[in-house]
Amino acid sequence: MLATGSRPVLPRLDGLDDADRLPPGVGFLRDLDDARAVTAALAAQQRIVVLGGGILGIEAALAAAEEGGRVTLVHSGRSPMERLLGEGARVLAAALTRAGITVVAGTSTGIRLTDGRFSALALEGGARVEGGALVLACGVRPRTELADGCDLATADGILVDHDLRALGTGGVWAIGDCAEVCCGVSTCAACTGGTAPPGLIGPGWQQADQLGLAFAAELAGLPVAAAGPPERRDAVLVLKARGVDAVTAGETDADPWTVAPGLAVAVWADPGHGRYAKMVTRDGVLTGLVCVGMPRTGAELVLLFERRSELPADRSSLLSLDSAEGVLAALPPGPDATLCRCAGVTRGTVQESVAGGCSSVPEVSAGTRAGTGCGGCHDDIRSVIEHHFAVAVAS
Ligand SMILES: Cc1cc2nc3c(=O)[nH]c(=O)nc-3n(C[C@H](O)[C@H](O)[C@H](O)COP(=O)(O)OP(=O)(O)OC[C@H]3O[C@@H](n4cnc5c(N)ncnc54)[C@H](O)[C@@H]3O)c2cc1C
């Protein structure tokens, strides 16, 4: 079974030609050593230059700024995360600036070294962004070289069918960031359109479960049912940072003025107060969302999106969740709401584990797997624990 993951993309820049031999001061952000290098640069009060305005680059820039670092985020296009957030990206860019990050739009062309160390990023047109450390956050690409060497079929990733078996093989499987589920049957709706691996931990874990069950059945001599087409679940992308909120999911590029049967797009923008929301519905059901600077509205929309719920006819009622009155009016999510998206664990499961004696995030994680992925739900787990004990003390 292949689970070779993905590797960071090395951008085409003068002075960078080998991902395994980056000049001093230049690095990716993949593992603890990479994080330690950034920490050392922060301790030396060097300016951190982050190249790449995707979610990882933005999270890295915000984390470095939160540590008191001087940070420049360089991105292509008009605003960071523009492809995913549309106009909401401009609101996010303003929030990044408020967080103390210098946001620079431009096409980078090369790096400059001083005494063999990174000292500046060169941009098209001759501008330079000076700094002591360069963090490359330009996306990831599935690692397929092992599969290529074995003559397995690859596209973006290693091509596998619904059973996660490499196409045209008997006993080779692939899962995780390296695997691209695309069965090759032209009439398969689940395998048309974008099938590149999403680069998120949740789908890989689901595939590991699926394959584990299939292997166990085979070892036990039980019949192994063929898996159906993979369920198309749009990823919910949440920016994990303190004080800057952005979330997006589903189809987000629909135009509010497009007239199409069943389609309705509502947009609300308040750049002056750092807020933006977009809701795309088909026959009333939420199929896409963007929410910046409105954490409660964003959380509610994600809930409705995951439940494939219909939105209220008056979309503006959702916006008030982030008003002072709305905070009081907002209903807490029920037990069926997903609390940990990486492991697919509901709030109810976490509540049960706390009621059963788990009183810390690591204990809940050990018992339920919630919080063992990206860690973005740790605060939610903590609040379930606190709520449980507050109720216990009060009663
Ligand atoms: C900084 C960072 C933040 C992230 N944040 C999030 C997040 O918030 N939410 C989220 O869902 N996802 C996040 N991800 C992505 C998530 O980590 C990946 O989707 C997940 O790790 C993929 O798991 P995997 O097992 O497929 O691959 P990996 O975890 O990449 O593991 C692949 C392993 O295979 C090894 N390998 C590769 N080739 C060979 C070979 N030829 N021989 C031997 N070993 C080999 C590699 O060394 C590696 O150990 C983040 C990733 C990074 C780097």
Side-chain angles (χ1 to χ4, degrees), residues 4-394:
T4 49
S6 54
R7 63 167 75 255
V9 170
L10 183 72
R12 283 172 194 236
L13 295 179
D14 285 346
L16 282 187
D17 44 26
D18 186 348
D20 296 322
R21 286 167 187 232
L22 296 174
V26 180
F28 297 109
L29 194 50
R30 296 290 296 172
D31 54 28
L32 279 177
D33 283 343
D34 296 335
R36 284 189 195 106
V38 177
T39 306
L42 284 170
Q45 303 201 324
Q46 293 171 335
R47 176 171 282 278
I48 312 286
V49 182
V50 178
L51 177 57
I55 208 154
L56 188 56
I58 295 172
E59 287 179 356
L62 282 166
E66 202 184 338
E67 290 301 309
R70 294 174 298 141
V71 185
T72 305
L73 177 70
V74 181
H75 65 92
S76 53
R78 279 191 314 170
S79 310
M81 281 185 77
E82 187 177 18
R83 194 176 51 80
L84 289 169
L85 301 182
E87 289 294 310
R90 297 170 68 180
V91 178
L92 175 64
L96 298 179
T97 305
R98 278 197 302 278
I101 297 168
T102 307
V103 181
V104 176
T107 305
S108 40
T109 55
I111 60 163
R112 300 285 174 265
L113 304 179
T114 302
D115 298 330
R117 263 196 79 83
F118 170 77
S119 60
L121 182 69
L123 303 183
E124 220 169 59
R128 279 168 166 232
V129 178
E130 318 235 318
L134 175 66
V135 178
L136 301 168
C138 303
V140 295
R141 193 165 288 146
R143 279 187 183 216
T144 59
E145 60 273 17
L146 190 58
D148 288 330
C150 304
D151 283 335
L152 299 181
T154 59
D156 281 312
I158 304 165
L159 291 171
V160 295
D161 62 18
H162 302 162
D163 294 317
L164 305 170
R165 200 182 296 265
L167 293 193
T169 69
V172 181
W173 292 264
I175 61 170
D177 274 10
C178 69
E180 179 172 354
V181 183
C182 184
C183 67
V185 176
S186 59
T187 50
C188 177
C191 295
T192 49
T195 54
L200 295 170
I201 202 153
W205 278 354
Q206 283 160 19
Q207 292 170 346
D209 284 344
Q210 177 189 337
L211 211 51
L213 285 174
F215 285 166
E218 205 161 300
L219 282 174
L222 299 169
V224 182
E231 194 193 345
R232 280 260 167 142
R233 298 216 75 186
D234 287 306
V236 176
L237 291 177
V238 184
L239 187 72
K240 290 177 291 304
R242 238 168 263 151
V244 179
D245 298 284
V247 58
T248 176
E251 56 170 341
T252 56
D253 52 0
D255 181 86
W257 305 105
T258 300
V259 180
L263 176 73
V265 183
V267 178
W268 188 72
D270 181 7
H273 294 94
R275 293 174 168 200
Y276 177 91
K278 180 173 185 179
M279 308 167 206
V280 180
T281 55
R282 292 201 179 259
D283 298 323
V285 174
L286 186 64
T287 53
L289 66 103
V290 175
C291 206
V292 182
M294 304 169 71
R296 284 176 181 269
T297 304
E300 184 69 16
L301 288 175
V302 167
L303 210 65
L304 295 167
F305 177 80
E306 288 182 330
R307 289 181 181 163
R308 304 271 186 267
S309 299
E310 271 194 42
L311 289 197
D314 178 7
R315 312 292 199 245
S316 67
S317 62
L318 289 158
L319 304 175
S320 62
L321 290 176
D322 278 282
S323 69
E325 302 78 42
V327 170
L328 297 175
L331 289 173
D336 295 340
T338 307
L339 185 143
C340 171
R341 240 166 248 113
C342 295
V345 180
T346 62
R347 180 170 291 271
T349 304
V350 171
Q351 283 166 335
E352 274 168 28
S353 101
V354 174
C358 294
S359 58
S360 67
V361 174
E363 282 174 18
V364 170
S365 296
T368 64
R369 280 181 76 193
T372 52
C374 73
C377 62
H378 284 188
D379 282 348
D380 284 338
I381 298 176
R382 229 170 265 124
S383 77
V384 170
I385 296 169
E386 283 164 11
H387 179 74
H388 175 82
F389 285 106
V391 171
V393 167

